[in-house]
Each structure stands twice: as structure tokens, then as C-alpha cells.
Amino acid sequence: MSTDYQRARAELGRRLRELRVDSPDGRLTGTELAQRLGWPQSKVSKLENGRQTPTDDDLRAWVEAVGQPAVFPELRARLKGFESHIRSWRRQLAQGHGPVQETWNTLVSDAQTMHALSNAAVSGMLQTADYARYVFEGHSALQDAPRDTETAVRARMKRQEWLYRPGKRLNLLMHESVLWARICPPEVLAAQLDRLLGVVGMDTVRMGILPLDANLPLALGNSFCMLDERLVVVEDWHAELWLDDAETIALYRRVWDTFAESAVFGADAQQVIARVRRSIRV
């Protein structure tokens, strides 16, 4: 977690402690508060010392237990303020992948331009339903999340309607290793590559491939997606990072532009995809 995130969580913890100590019905100990809430005393300690992130329900229960329910909006605003930047998969996937995909649909619908770098899997904007199904199944198993695969797939396919709306533009870079990655059966991967071959030349898509033997100016980092010039979402194993300050957005745009200089586009990109496609026996 970032230092800023840890600091914000610690500050929220200090605020929770203040509310406990200054409760209207007298100074509560941590043990007494835990008994009122029916929690382990260790949970109260972790929350107050910034070692655990509270949920909305935790905050609501806390202010009720200390007799200060009017403070809940303030605490919730603090929580949302720092959670908006580090969105853990554990918390996001508590109800499955479907709600996460619907959030993405809302984000994308308002965007005119997207810049994405994918070096782990085919971009969700171009995935086939079958390919997406294997991606969701794998991550649900990893995170021990509820299996709502079909709901998530439908939401992701709905998002791709964006590609057929006038004035939209997806600028996508993918490393060639993504095309080879067997995260699904060969027949599913073959159909996915056919899909990629079909989108080359679309007015709304500019797709570049970074060949395996390309000279790269930088080491490949995490996959990311930039929505206009207002938000960058970076993918990591534990969380998505939502970055919205101008300096950081400008940095990620420079990263994209730098890698684009090593990518091949158009017919050359088709040749790379077709070469991989020919290697798959189905």
C-alpha cells in the first residue's frame, strides 16, 4: 500500500479513537466498546491503529455504539476518499465480478478516448465472451470470490458497444506474449485471435502489438487503462489503483507514447497476430 493510503487509514483510526474516548456517556475503553459491538477486542485495536480498513457497516456500528451517529457521514467521506485510490480486490469482489464490471461500464461510457497497455491478457474491450469467461473464473478462484461469471461476461460484452459509437477511440498496446498466453483452451484462444484480426482497421480502434523481439525503451510494468485525461486505472494482484492527479496521468501517457514507438500497427500488427494464430492447432 502507498504511504498516502497508510497515512489516511491511520488518521481515520485516530478519529475513531477520539470518538470512543469522547463518547457522550463517558470514556469507553477499547474492551468495553468491543463488548458493545460484539467484536473481538483486537478488531477495535486494529481499526484505531490503522492496521485494518473499516467497512461502511463498521463505521456505522462504531458511531452508534459511541453515541455519535451524526459523525457517520464524515467518517464515510474519509473512507471513500482514500479507498478511491486503492480499491482492493478482496473488497471489490465481495459480491462477485458483476458489480465491478458495471462500475467499469459507467466509467467507460463517459469517456471519448482510452489509452491502454495490456501485457497479461487481451484487453477486456476486445475479449470474446469465452475468453472473458476463463479470465473471470481464474480470478474468482484466486480471490475466493463469488462465482457470477455469466453476469460479469454479459456486462463486459455490453461495454464493448462503446467501440461502435461515433467519436470514440480505443488506443491499445499489447505485448506479443499476451497472444501466446494459454490462459484458456486452444480453441478459445484461436477464436480470440480471430477477433483481434477482425478489429484491425476499425475506425474506433488503433491497436499496436509489441513484438517479442522488439527493442523496448522501458521494462514492461503493470497493465493500465487511461480514460481521457482524467483517470488512470492500474491493475495489480491485490488491487486496482485509481490515479487521478494531473502529474501522474501525464506520466502514464508518456509511458504509453514511449512504448507505442516500439509497436507495430495495421497490417504489420495483423501479421504478428496471424503468425501466432497459425501456431494454434485446434
Side-chain angles (χ1 to χ4, degrees), residues 16-258:
L16 291 175
R17 183 179 185 278
E18 289 175 2
L19 293 171
R20 171 176 63 79
V21 172
D22 299 333
S23 59
D25 55 351
R27 184 187 180 99
L28 283 173
T29 67
T31 300
E32 289 169 340
L33 178 59
Q35 289 173 345
R36 286 191 182 187
L37 292 167
W39 294 351
Q41 197 280 329
S42 60
K43 178 173 180 177
V44 170
S45 176
K46 288 178 181 178
L47 290 174
E48 290 189 349
N49 288 287
R51 298 198 306 271
Q52 180 173 328
T53 303
T55 65
D56 281 357
D57 289 342
D58 290 338
L59 295 178
R60 186 177 287 107
W62 191 289
V63 297
E64 292 288 346
V66 300
Q68 302 193 58
V71 184
F72 175 70
E74 173 211 325
L75 299 183
R76 188 173 189 273
R78 285 175 179 251
L79 176 65
K80 296 306 177 186
F82 66 81
E83 273 209 325
S84 66
H85 292 85
I86 301 184
R87 302 168 67 91
S88 77
W89 287 119
R90 178 181 62 81
R91 293 169 66 82
Q92 285 199 85
L93 296 178
Q95 303 300 320
H97 276 93
V100 177
Q101 293 305 302
E102 290 296 346
T103 296
W104 265 98
N105 287 0
T106 300
L107 284 174
V108 170
S109 66
D110 296 332
Q112 291 297 115
T113 303
M114 298 172 60
H115 287 80
L117 172 63
S118 297
N119 55 37
V122 172
S123 167
M125 292 297 293
L126 298 179
Q127 289 178 5
T128 65
D130 286 340
Y131 186 97
R133 193 168 286 114
Y134 281 94
V135 171
F136 287 130
E137 288 287 348
H139 281 270
S140 293
L142 176 68
Q143 301 290 346
D144 194 23
R147 301 297 179 92
D148 62 342
T149 302
E150 295 311 311
T151 298
V153 169
R154 285 194 295 272
R156 179 162 284 182
M157 295 303 102
K158 179 181 177 182
R159 180 156 76 251
Q160 294 180 7
E161 295 173 4
W162 184 91
L163 297 169
Y164 302 94
R165 292 164 56 187
K168 304 297 186 180
R169 184 62 175 260
L170 170 63
N171 299 285
L172 173 64
L173 297 176
M174 284 193 295
H175 194 257
E176 185 183 340
S177 59
V178 171
L179 310 179
W180 292 93
R182 297 297 179 94
I183 60 177
C184 58
E187 62 273 16
V188 173
L189 182 57
Q192 177 64 73
L193 297 180
D194 288 339
R195 161 74 167 150
L196 295 180
L197 287 168
V199 301
V200 175
M202 281 182 62
D203 290 341
T204 57
V205 178
R206 181 182 181 226
M207 182 173 63
I209 303 295
L210 291 159
L212 291 175
D213 60 356
N215 294 320
L216 300 180
L218 300 167
L220 282 170
N222 290 11
S223 299
F224 66 86
C225 180
M226 179 187 302
L227 302 169
D228 297 322
E229 300 295 329
R230 58 188 170 88
L231 178 67
V232 174
V233 180
V234 184
E235 299 178 13
D236 210 334
W237 288 111
H238 74 296
E240 284 182 333
L241 311 182
W242 285 32
L243 309 170
D244 57 7
D245 63 284
E247 184 176 349
T248 300
I249 290 172
L251 171 63
Y252 276 86
R253 179 57 192 270
R254 289 199 302 276
V255 169
W256 196 95
D257 290 341
T258 299

